[in-house]
Amino acid sequence: MKIDGTPYRSIWVDETDGWSVRIIDQTRLPWTVDLVRLTTMEEMAHAIKAMLVRGAPLIGASAAYGVALAMRADASDANLRQAIELLGETRPTAINLRWALARMRAVLQPLERNARADAAYAEARAICDEDVATNAAIGRHGLPLLAARAANGRRVNVLTHCNAGWIATVDWGTALAPIYMAHDAGLDVHVWVEETRPRNQGASLTAWELGKHGVPHTVIADNAGGHMMQRGDVDLVIVGTDRVTRAGDVANKIGTYLKALAARDNGVPFWVALPSSTIDWTIRDGLTDIPIEERPASEVTTMTGRALDGSIATVRIVPTASPAANPAFDVTPARLVSGLITERGLCDANEAALTEMFTDIA
Ligand code: MRU
């Protein structure tokens, strides 16, 4: 997608040196587009953990490049093992991290040491290219859901939570891919963007990228989503996900479950967009089997934004003596999900439908 007319991916190999990795520092958005250069596996691990890069597919692609940086420095068995272990510990919920690392291990382990660095860069690049194609396919499969509600030039109102747009992936996004395609096809699409406390990925990232692409949108407090649905102002909900079980349970950013409940109560379709790399075929019960990341309390007790004098400021919003808890994801049971938008097409959120659609990998 484009930033001020220039096409970008969210991660790429530096064109000048041909080996270091460039990312957009998402902790600085929407205020500054900082292109950070990463030169070591440790720097990449930090970038994932501190959420300079985030979003399940991008976490996977970043980890793959982290392995490539590690192999460039030392392609021994021990370093390959250590890199995969360290990168694998950065974030627990998004399964794409483990998926990408398993793929890198499978390619690199059988190789001689001197072949590993080149192969690692090639595989990381392939993961990125496939992600772009996959998300474009998700967009194409999701587009008819919006088109069906846009008859006679009517405006389609989509509600989304968190950021599952192009900067959460390598390009296009998952939940936002059908929205970009519908907008580009001339449909009148409007997006309700939930702010997504505590880190505000909706307010700071989704609003930013929709704005850069010219998609009409309105930021709302997380608490407003149910009210918008009751008023008939939401045609459908589309969210992304960090892990889907083989039975169709969906882990996504904290607060997603509440929107699924409100959607069910109001008869609003609740769709989840995902690449198949987000399906964890080893588990069924999302509530018991998906690890939920617990993030620092400071994300709840403080907020960061631009002060009126233009400086970036972090302010405390909770009494100093009050503790805070910060579970970063929740699980929406499959029964509340209207359907899944995958790169192979639309699919019911249950084991029979998923295993039939992905019979070769399930
Ligand atoms: O904690 P984050 O910002 O990495 O969480 C991101 C989400 O919850 C996204 O909705 C999910 O990863 C899907 S991204 C295409």
Side-chain angles (χ1 to χ4, degrees):
M1 306 295 281
K2 290 182 179 160
I3 304 176
D4 299 331
T6 307
Y8 278 92
R9 283 186 174 189
S10 59
I11 188 165
W12 66 97
V13 171
D14 186 276
E15 317 61 18
T16 321
D17 63 29
W19 65 269
S20 63
V21 181
R22 291 270 181 182
I23 57 162
I24 301 169
D25 180 351
Q26 299 192 24
T27 65
R28 306 279 295 156
L29 291 172
W31 318 116
T32 323
V33 179
D34 263 358
L35 306 183
V36 174
R37 179 170 175 261
L38 303 173
T39 59
T40 64
M41 180 270 290
E42 289 80 5
E43 285 176 2
M44 182 61 85
H46 169 76
I48 299 171
K49 207 176 174 61
M51 295 177 66
L52 280 71
V53 286
R54 29 83 32 218
L58 180 56
I59 290 170
S62 302
Y65 272 121
V67 173
L69 289 169
M71 292 300 91
R72 185 176 183 273
D74 167 8
S76 65
D77 284 354
N79 200 41
L80 177 59
R81 207 170 33 246
Q82 203 187 340
I84 288 174
E85 197 178 301
L86 200 136
L87 289 159
E89 285 166 357
T90 49
R91 298 203 59 194
T93 304
I95 192 67
N96 306 60
L97 176 67
R98 258 148 275 274
W99 169 86
L101 290 173
R103 186 164 153 171
M104 296 300 284
R105 189 200 331 255
V107 168
L108 300 177
Q109 204 142 44
L111 299 180
E112 299 290 338
R113 275 177 73 146
N114 61 7
R116 281 182 176 162
D118 285 350
Y121 276 97
E123 194 62 15
R125 169 86 197 187
I127 286 175
C128 290
D129 290 347
E130 287 169 29
D131 186 62
V132 178
T134 292
N135 298 329
I138 288 171
R140 284 193 299 275
H141 292 302
L143 172 56
L145 297 173
L146 281 73
R149 286 172 169 75
N152 306 321
R154 187 181 161 274
R155 170 163 272 204
V156 187
N157 286 295
V158 185
L159 182 141
T160 194
H161 189 70
C162 195
N163 171 263
W166 74 265
I167 51 169
T169 64
V170 179
D171 206 353
W172 280 110
T174 56
L176 296 196
I179 291 169
Y180 285 128
M181 292 207 177
H183 173 81
D184 291 352
L187 301 191
D188 184 8
V189 187
H190 167 262
V191 186
W192 296 112
V193 177
E194 293 203 315
E195 59 180 347
T196 318
R197 278 282 289 152
R199 285 186 69 99
N200 291 324
Q201 289 96 327
S204 56
L205 304 177
T206 301
W208 174 79
E209 59 167 277
L210 289 174
K212 289 288 174 202
H213 199 74
V215 180
H217 63 280
T218 307
V219 178
I220 55 173
D222 295 322
N223 299 330
H227 171 71
M228 296 298 180
M229 292 187 218
Q230 280 179 320
R231 284 207 318 206
D233 288 340
V234 181
D235 291 299
L236 70 163
V237 178
I238 311 181
V239 295
T241 171
D242 288 78
R243 197 185 295 219
V244 172
T245 71
R246 63 185 294 129
D249 291 347
V250 169
N252 193 46
K253 183 53 55 191
I254 194 79
T256 302
Y257 168 56
L258 287 174
K259 297 309 127 74
L261 285 173
R264 175 55 56 94
D265 193 44
N266 291 284
V268 173
F270 182 91
W271 288 88
V272 179
L274 65 138
S276 53
S277 52
T278 302
I279 305 169
D280 185 345
W281 297 105
T282 67
I283 56 172
R284 282 193 173 79
D285 185 344
L287 280 175
T288 56
D289 294 345
I290 297 179
I292 300 295
E293 179 176 12
E294 192 69 37
R295 292 199 56 91
S298 58
E299 292 181 352
V300 175
T301 58
T302 64
M303 280 182 91
T304 300
R306 184 148 71 180
L308 296 182
D309 66 2
S311 61
I312 306 299
T314 298
V315 294
R316 192 171 172 101
I317 57 168
V318 172
T320 337
S322 298
N326 188 9
F329 298 92
D330 60 25
V331 174
T332 299
R335 67 188 153 76
L336 296 176
V337 177
S338 305
L340 307 171
I341 310 171
T342 78
E343 72 268 30
R344 295 194 189 173
L346 305 182
C347 178
D348 287 341
N350 61 53
E351 184 161 358
L354 272 168
T355 50
E356 191 186 328
M357 179 162 276
F358 295 99
T359 182
D360 50 326
I361 49 175

